[in-house]
Amino acid sequence: MAEQIEASVAIATAVARCRPEVLCAYPITPQTHIVEALSRMVRAGDLAPCEMVNVESEYSACSVAIGASAAGARAYTATASQGLLYMAEALFNAAGLGLPIVMTVANRALGAPINIWNDHSDALAVRDCGFIQLYAADNQEAIDMHILAFRIAEQLSLPVMVCMDGYVLTHAIEPLELPSQEQVDSFLPPFAPRQILDPDEPMTIGAMVGPEAFTEVRYLAHLRQQEALDAIPALAQELSERTGRACGGLLSGYRTSDAALVVVAMGSVLGTLEVLIDEMRGEGLSVGALAIKTFRPFPRAEVAAALGGAARILVLERAIAIGAGGVLTDSVRWALGARQTPLHTVIAGLGGRPITRRSLRPVLEAAATGGLGELHFLDLRQDLVDRELARCRSSARPGPHAEAILREIGIVGAGPV
Amino acid sequence: MSAAADRSPQAERRDEGLRFYQTGTFAVGGRLLAEHQRTVQSQPRRPSSLTKGHRACQGCGEALGARYALDAALRAAGGRLIAANATGCLEVFSSPYPESSWQLPWIHSLFANAPAVASGIAAALRAKGREDVRVVGQGGDGGTVDIGLACLSGMFERHDDVLYICYDNQAYMNTGVQRSAATPPGARTATTEPLGGHPGNDFGQGKSAPLIALAHEIPYVATATVAELHDLEAKVARAMEIRGPRYLHLLVPCPLGWGSEPSETILIARLAKESGLFPVFEAIDGAIHAVAKIRRQVPVREYLRRQRRYAHLFADGGREDVIDRLQAAADRNIVRFGLLEGSAPLAGDLLGAPAPGELDDLSGAQAP
Ligand SMILES: Cc1ncc(C[n+]2csc(CCOP(=O)(O)OP(=O)(O)O)c2C)c(N)n1
Ligand code: SF4
Ligand SMILES: [Mg+2]
């Protein structure tokens, strides 16, 4: 039965039902409500046996999770943005050690300029760290993906990041269904670690490896992620059978089978896209959307198959690879192989700028008719950019762009609405 | 635990008026001692945390210190001990796969996070109700005093049940002897060459991790050297009787980095203590309660001249000024920590506060 609940609290409850033994986190917006709710459960004794470690940094959060997981405990942490990058070294380490830590990333932009609102720059910046990366399109999926994440992580002995859009998802209050404790228990067996620090069977974990074996070790890590391409749909199916709804997976297509133009995207923008696609379909335009739910491992063959019928592809990116363009674009192009399907990259929703149907519609229409360039920035105020460029040319010390642009717009402290 | 173990061997020896000083030998047998007073290493069935086959340099103080410290901890834990190790010489020389020298469960994660990894292990054990298994975190001075300090401070203030051991060889040895915040003034390292009038490492920099630990008011803080292995073992044993964060800072000479004779590692560690340059003390709950007195005081130059990292102080013309400043630093330690027989640590001084009565009246001072 659905209950009206703040998504962060729902995520915390879902995590609690996975019976974690060690929780560790450092506060960062917009992850805080998840951790606060978990902390309350531990303090009240509702989540036991479980240790909550209030660490002094995200680097420590990931490191505490590493120690806890290596000692055989189910470990969970959550972060976002600057915090995720502050963990970077430990992320690669946790993955390299094959420790099945589960982490929520409440996706948020990266500074400078510092910005607390949503985009995908944070998780995409660490896309190659060895964590599996799942991207939730809505809060129900975010809940289910967390339960899935623990099972995937422990079955494959790999850490998993569940990425959910900061604020847009984390702070929404809506009716959500929480899997019952019995449902979770029947899906998620107790953690049986593949390696453990145990005085009865002493082992050395994390020692140095030279060029003699490093390539093979890395290749095996890659293979393990490839295994996840089979495991994720199978486990998602198994969870679906218990909950009676679709629960994550690799991809999902919305009206793609006969679509001439397919929009590829990750995260909460899928909801907007579906409504828009319905509208445009009503007007006779042949459009569909492909949601990437698993970005690491990248489901190359599945993406290629899903895009097989598309005459044109639009990759909607909530991040920018500065100096290159899109991040997801590269993977989609790789999936297409030798196929020369025209492909457009649209950078949208950076630092919390809303992605509206009104803005998307003309872009999709232009793409459908071949009238869109290769790289497009949604809602970019070219007039502001041009004036700022001119201003900078006329001064040797022009100061921050952000300040000048906000002065021009005449609003401070809020994005354009 | 037996009744005898309730008291430290050191305390017992004190009661009996017997003191154990190591002289020119590496043996720690102690046939003069009663069975229960003998060192862990002299027991026929001693634990062996770090066994043969590691690649430490000849005379490596870190290898010796780690083995004594961990064997003592293993004994205290009844063999149920897990170690988290920072990147550094100790990690590298002991562990390359497939030739690990570790006989206890051991994990290396990163350079800066050993205290946090240890905290995580401790949290896991607590959640699982495994009170019987104990946790040690360890690393070099760089991994502890510099890059790992935030994790260490967090581990202290959260009161996590971890014994952390810093093996202080006073520089980043594993990367080729660069300066750390534990490098003493006057010492030459690869990044503190005595060039352009610099005395080697500059004066007025660096920090004392033991005093920083003390300021956290954790239950146990101690310093030790590999010259006094009985003392080291006794401190580990005492630390292991306590739950919560504990810190042991161990001076471990490094023949390669210090330019000393491998055969003089113990001697040099002893001279560090006997000159007053490295105060050996023990603190409980934020207050120093015991110091190792200097037995035969030596001028710092006796310590310095045996190490090529100080050779520039003695070469053509020399740097008497630098040697004098180092002597002054040792003399200050001697007064501050009460290192001479019959003296006591300066009340209130150790955390930087003047003793009562010496307090400056700041009431009339200008606001900054
Ligand atoms: C984040 C990071 N920075 C730098 C290094 C390189 N590094 C590895 S070991 C080491 C020196 C270790 O010095 P210390 O902790 O004093 O231990 P020692 O080798 O002297 O025993 C350094 C700088 C690293 N591995 N990781
Ligand atoms: S360089 Fe120093 S610390 Fe490292 S193994 Fe050699 S003697 Fe030991
Ligand atoms: Mg060192």
Side-chain angles (χ1 to χ4, degrees):
Chain A
M1 200 192 61
E3 63 182 291
Q4 186 79 1
I5 187 170
E6 186 196 341
S8 290
V9 178
I11 296 300
T13 310
V15 168
R17 292 193 180 154
C18 293
R19 303 186 188 278
E21 293 164 293
V22 174
L23 306 172
C24 40
Y26 187 82
I28 183 163
T29 302
Q31 147 266 39
T32 42
H33 291 187
I34 302 173
V35 179
E36 288 165 7
L38 279 165
S39 167
R40 275 193 295 275
M41 293 177 210
V42 174
R43 295 224 142 205
D46 299 335
L47 175 50
C50 181
E51 292 290 324
M52 172 91 199
V53 189
N54 288 307
V55 286
E56 78 293 339
S57 73
E58 288 86 357
Y59 180 75
S60 263
C62 194
S63 302
V64 165
I66 287 170
S69 186
R74 185 170 283 164
Y76 168 84
T77 183
T79 190
S81 183
Q82 316 296 140
L84 187 65
L85 262 66
Y86 203 68
M87 282 185 185
E89 191 194 14
L91 296 175
F92 281 77
N93 189 258
L97 293 174
L99 297 172
I101 296 160
V102 171
M103 175 186 313
T104 308
V105 178
N107 294 107
R108 164 181 153 181
L110 288 170
I114 189 163
N115 173 304
I116 61 168
W117 293 278
N118 169 242
D119 70 33
H120 292 164
S121 318
D122 51 2
L124 291 179
V126 296
R127 65 187 179 273
D128 300 325
C129 71
F131 271 60
I132 286 174
Q133 286 196 341
L134 309 178
Y135 286 78
D138 58 44
N139 275 323
Q140 189 60 58
E141 190 167 67
I143 291 171
D144 298 334
M145 275 182 177
H146 277 84
I147 290 153
L148 201 53
F150 281 101
R151 177 82 186 273
I152 296 168
E154 290 171 14
Q155 183 162 318
L156 295 169
S157 210
L158 275 181
V160 179
M161 255 178 229
V162 182
C163 304
M164 57 190 293
D165 288 336
Y167 287 117
V168 182
L169 293 183
T170 55
H171 286 52
I173 299 175
E174 56 180 315
L176 293 168
E177 282 198 27
L178 280 160
S180 67
Q181 187 64 63
E182 295 69 40
Q183 277 175 332
V184 177
D185 286 345
S186 71
F187 177 71
L188 181 64
F191 176 30
R194 286 199 191 181
Q195 56 184 350
I196 184 167
L197 295 164
D198 177 3
D200 291 327
E201 268 179 72
M203 73 186 296
T204 291
I205 298 178
M208 186 159 161
V209 171
E212 308 79 14
F214 196 77
T215 303
E216 286 71 21
V217 171
R218 278 288 180 240
Y219 177 71
L220 286 164
H222 178 65
L223 271 192
R224 188 90 59 83
Q225 280 227 354
Q226 299 303 300
E227 276 176 46
L229 291 174
D230 295 328
I232 291 170
L235 293 174
Q237 176 61 29
E238 194 184 324
L239 185 58
S240 297
E241 282 158 16
R242 287 179 165 76
T243 61
R245 59 177 171 267
C247 295
L250 298 177
L251 305 172
S252 76
Y254 187 75
R255 305 183 80 163
T256 44
S257 53
D258 63 336
L261 172 68
V262 176
V263 182
V264 184
M266 303 198 289
S268 62
V269 75
L270 266 310
T272 311
L273 279 172
E274 287 178 12
V275 176
L276 178 61
I277 284 165
D278 287 344
E279 283 174 14
M280 293 175 76
R281 284 270 180 177
E283 295 155 19
L285 279 154
S286 169
V287 200
L290 181 67
I292 307 287
K293 297 180 186 299
T294 302
F295 181 65
R296 282 291 182 273
F298 191 73
R300 185 186 177 192
E302 292 79 359
V303 169
L307 293 176
R312 294 187 163 272
I313 298 165
L314 186 156
V315 183
L316 191 59
E317 303 252 13
R318 222 167 183 146
I320 172 170
I322 292 172
V327 183
L328 182 54
T329 301
D330 284 353
S331 298
V332 172
R333 219 187 271 288
W334 176 61
L336 292 176
R339 282 211 310 268
Q340 293 296 319
T341 318
L343 192 150
H344 311 273
T345 299
V346 175
I347 311 280
L350 298 188
R353 181 168 293 191
I355 306 180
T356 62
R357 274 179 285 153
R358 185 165 8 129
S359 299
L360 277 176
R361 172 186 273 270
V363 173
L364 263 60
E365 284 167 356
T369 55
L372 189 70
E374 264 190 32
L375 181 62
H376 179 83
F377 287 78
L378 191 74
D379 290 338
L380 180 75
R381 290 275 307 269
Q382 193 62 49
D383 56 327
L384 288 177
V385 171
D386 291 343
R387 280 207 292 283
E388 178 61 2
L389 288 173
R391 193 183 68 83
C392 291
R393 272 195 294 274
S394 68
S395 165
R397 206 180 264 184
H401 292 317
E403 183 179 4
I405 289 172
L406 284 167
R407 272 188 211 293
E408 284 253 352
I409 304 170
I411 47 168
V412 173
V417 269
Chain B
M1 279 235 156
S2 71
D6 289 340
R7 300 189 41 69
S8 72
Q10 206 186 39
E12 297 230 339
R13 264 179 265 130
R14 247 192 326 266
D15 293 350
E16 292 166 20
L18 175 64
R19 290 201 177 189
F20 192 92
Y21 292 109
Q22 212 173 319
T23 53
T25 157
F26 295 108
V28 200
R31 273 165 297 168
L32 296 175
L33 299 174
E35 187 78 35
H36 71 274
Q37 293 174 316
R38 291 185 191 165
T39 73
V40 176
Q41 297 299 327
S42 68
Q43 313 289 325
R45 301 235 308 279
R46 63 182 164 77
S48 191
S49 52
L50 180 66
T51 189
K52 61 185 177 292
H54 65 69
R55 298 133 191 243
C57 309
Q58 199 179 22
C60 173
E62 195 165 85
L64 180 69
R67 172 165 172 184
Y68 273 74
L70 286 191
D71 283 357
L74 262 177
R75 176 159 86 163
R80 312 195 72 65
L81 187 71
I82 297 174
N85 210 125
T87 314
C89 267
L90 176 59
E91 169 259 328
V92 171
F93 73 61
S94 64
S95 72
Y97 285 130
E99 294 161 356
S100 173
S101 291
W102 296 104
Q103 306 296 306
L104 77 172
W106 181 95
I107 184 168
H108 162 250
S109 171
L110 295 167
F111 189 22
N113 72 356
V117 172
S119 289
I121 297 168
L125 294 170
R126 214 159 45 237
K128 289 175 176 297
R130 293 293 306 271
E131 301 256 299
D132 57 320
V133 184
R134 310 295 301 277
V135 187
V136 167
Q138 55 182 1
D141 50 291
T144 305
V145 175
D146 280 334
I147 199 167
L149 189 64
C151 288
L152 185 69
S153 174
M155 184 272 269
F156 286 164
E157 67 79 19
R158 288 189 304 267
H159 214 79
D160 293 339
D161 187 18
V162 173
L163 167 61
Y164 189 90
I165 305 172
C166 170
Y167 300 97
D168 180 7
N169 53 23
Q170 303 190 329
Y172 293 107
M173 295 313 177
N174 189 51
T175 36
V177 198
Q178 296 85 10
R179 175 198 182 272
S180 81
T183 303
R188 172 180 51 78
T189 68
T191 51
T192 57
E193 299 261 5
L195 302 171
H198 285 281
N201 191 33
D202 293 317
F203 282 84
Q205 302 180 349
K207 52 186 152 178
S208 163
L211 292 187
I212 292 171
L214 202 64
H216 287 75
E217 305 203 2
I218 58 175
Y220 189 83
V221 175
T223 64
T225 78
V226 286
E228 271 151 65
L229 296 166
H230 270 79
D231 177 60
L232 168 60
E233 286 187 350
K235 281 173 174 160
V236 171
R238 213 135 50 234
M240 293 295 289
E241 283 167 14
I242 300 168
R243 294 277 172 168
R246 292 142 288 148
Y247 181 71
L248 181 61
H249 191 99
L250 184 59
L251 185 72
V252 290
C254 163
L256 183 108
W258 295 13
S260 55
E261 286 305 316
S263 59
E264 293 196 341
T265 293
I266 302 294
L267 173 63
I268 285 171
R270 184 176 323 120
L271 294 175
K273 178 227 158 198
E274 295 289 278
S275 63
L277 280 173
F278 187 85
V280 174
F281 67 85
E282 185 174 63
I284 305 236
D285 294 334
I288 292 184
H289 83 110
V291 298
K293 298 292 181 186
I294 290 174
R295 187 177 169 223
R296 280 196 209 113
Q297 194 178 357
V298 292
V300 294
R301 65 171 61 240
E302 282 306 304
Y303 168 71
L304 303 175
R305 71 181 177 80
R306 293 170 185 278
Q307 307 171 48
R308 284 195 301 284
R309 63 175 171 159
Y310 296 113
H312 58 283
L313 304 183
F314 300 94
D316 18 277
R319 289 291 303 263
E320 281 302 320
D321 60 323
V322 175
I323 298 174
D324 287 349
R325 287 185 79 174
L326 291 169
Q327 186 62 54
D331 293 344
R332 178 165 182 263
N333 280 340
I334 288 170
V335 175
R336 244 185 137 189
F337 290 87
L339 297 179
L340 293 179
E341 220 43 90
S343 67
L346 282 188
D349 170 71
L350 288 168
L351 294 178
E358 288 176 16
L359 218 59
D360 281 341
D361 183 3
L362 293 175
S363 50
Q366 297 277 314

